Amino acid sequence: MTHALRMPDDHIRLDLDRLGHLVENLGPAEAETVVRRALDRLGSRLTELGQLARSGARPPELVRLARGLAAIADQIGMSKLARVARDVAVCAGRGDEAALGATLARLQRVGERSRAALLDLAPQAV
């Protein structure tokens, strides 16, 4: 018997309405500043999460960091990245090392692709 494992897609999803609301509420210049700061924070958190996981950090630290990353991603319309970060938090909270390793790897892929997509879009959307 053969089993097929269907991997989740890593297509990037940006919530352009969320970005539009930022521009509408803050103005183009301030919205761009907010997005750029958020991208910097996301990069730092992605790096920190990877380092903590490799160093054997306690699950509560990983959960806190992953939830924070999800909140930042939500703020700037990175819905896919936010969802994967929440998945990391769940796996860390359950203490499931195998699932945590897989979701962290996915988080890194989605995170880098999302950041690149938003940077490519930023001059047009923000």
Side-chain angles (χ1 to χ4, degrees):
M1 176 186 267
T2 303
H3 293 279
L5 177 62
R6 185 172 186 277
M7 297 298 290
D9 73 82
D10 284 338
H11 295 289
I12 303 311
R13 291 183 186 88
L14 298 176
D15 183 346
L16 298 180
D17 289 337
R18 175 80 47 122
L19 290 172
H21 290 300
L22 278 175
V23 172
E24 185 178 300
N25 292 332
L26 302 175
E30 185 63 25
E32 182 173 359
T33 299
V34 166
V35 168
R36 297 241 180 239
R37 281 187 195 145
L39 287 173
D40 288 343
R41 290 184 5 233
L42 284 172
S44 297
R45 295 236 176 162
L46 284 167
T47 300
E48 189 177 354
L49 259 171
Q51 290 171 342
L52 281 174
R54 283 188 297 280
S55 73
R58 294 177 325 151
E61 295 172 81
L62 296 171
V63 169
R64 179 190 54 77
L65 199 56
R67 285 182 180 160
L69 193 150
I72 296 166
D74 269 337
Q75 177 190 23
I76 59 173
M78 293 179 154
S79 55
K80 179 69 165 242
L81 180 59
R83 191 179 78 209
V84 176
R86 286 188 293 269
D87 290 345
V88 167
V90 168
C91 293
R94 290 181 180 161
D96 187 338
E97 294 297 320
L100 179 60
T103 54
L104 277 169
R106 186 166 185 233
L107 182 68
Q108 294 297 325
R109 287 191 310 272
V110 170
E112 291 308 313
R113 289 178 187 161
S114 295
R115 291 177 70 221
L118 191 56
L119 284 171
D120 289 346
L121 182 68
Q124 302 158 11
V126 178

